[in-house]
C-alpha cells in the first residue's frame, strides 16, 4: 500500500514541477555528453528510485528494525555480493546510483528520500491506528 501511494505521489510531483533531467542541462554546454544509463522520459523531480527505496526502507525498518545484515547479488555481476547493515543504507545507495548514472541531481534524490519516508510514515501511522 505504501509503495503504491509513493508511486502516485512521485508522479504527481514530477508532472507538477516538470524539472528537466541532467542530460538536458549538460548537453547545452557539451552536446556529446551521455549518461551511463538510458534516461527516463518522465521529469526528474523527485527521483523515483529514491522515493520508492526510502519508502520501502522505512516500512521494513518499522517491522524489522533498521539494523540487519543484508546481502544483495545481481545476475548482471555474477559473484559480486554487496553487504549492508541497514535498510536505509540500501535506500541511500539506490538513490546515489541514479546520480552516478547521470539521471538525477542530489536535490532530486534528497527530495525523493523525503517524500518516500513521509508517505511511508503516513501509511504506517494509518495502518497502526
Amino acid at each position: 500500500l505504501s509503495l503504491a501511494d509513493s508511486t502516485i505521489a512521485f508522479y504527481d510531483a514530477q508532472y507538477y514541477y516538470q524539472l528537466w533531467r541532467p542530460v538536458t542541462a549538460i548537453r547545452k554546454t557539451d552536446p556529446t555528453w551521455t549518461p551511463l544509463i538510458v534516461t527516463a522520459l518522465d521529469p526528474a523531480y523527485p527521483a523515483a528510485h529514491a522515493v520508492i527505496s526510502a519508502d520501502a526502507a522505512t516500512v521494513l525498518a518499522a517491522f524489522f528494525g533498521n539494523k540487519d545484515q543484508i546481502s544483495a547479488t545481481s545476475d548482471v555481476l555474477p559473484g559480486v555480493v554487496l553487504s549492508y547493515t541497514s535498510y536505509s543504507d540500501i535506500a541511500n545507495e539506490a538513490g546515489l546510483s541514479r546520480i552516478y548514472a547521470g539521471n538525477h541531481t542530489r536535490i532530486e534524490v534528497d527530495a525523493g528520500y523525503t517524500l518516500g519516508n513521509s508517505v511511508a510514515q503516513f501509511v504506517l501511522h494509518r495502518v497502526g491506528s
Side-chain angles (χ1 to χ4, degrees):
L1 178 62
S2 188
L3 292 173
D5 287 349
S6 280
T7 301
I8 293 166
F10 81 69
Y11 274 123
D12 282 351
Q14 284 181 339
Y15 285 95
Y16 177 82
Y17 291 106
Q18 294 281 327
L19 189 65
W20 60 4
R21 298 272 181 169
V23 65
T24 305
I26 294 169
R27 284 190 177 160
K28 296 233 181 246
T29 58
D30 181 359
T32 63
W33 185 82
T34 304
L36 294 176
I37 60 175
V38 175
T39 299
L41 298 177
D42 53 354
Y45 181 91
H49 279 70
V51 174
I52 296 301
S53 299
D55 181 301
T58 302
V59 171
L60 288 168
F63 283 93
F64 302 113
N66 200 28
K67 298 290 182 200
D68 204 353
Q69 188 60 36
I70 306 154
S71 297
T73 60
S74 169
D75 292 339
V76 178
L77 298 170
V80 174
V81 178
L82 299 175
S83 296
Y84 304 91
T85 57
S86 69
Y87 298 110
S88 58
D89 286 348
I90 297 170
N92 288 334
E93 187 165 305
L96 290 174
S97 74
R98 308 305 285 177
I99 296 170
Y100 299 147
N103 279 199
H104 285 290
T105 65
R106 186 64 192 211
I107 292 168
E108 298 153 8
V109 169
D110 286 348
Y113 292 149
T114 300
L115 179 58
N117 183 47
S118 296
V119 171
Q121 292 293 342
F122 177 83
V123 171
L124 288 168
H125 175 72
R126 292 291 191 181
V127 170
S129 53

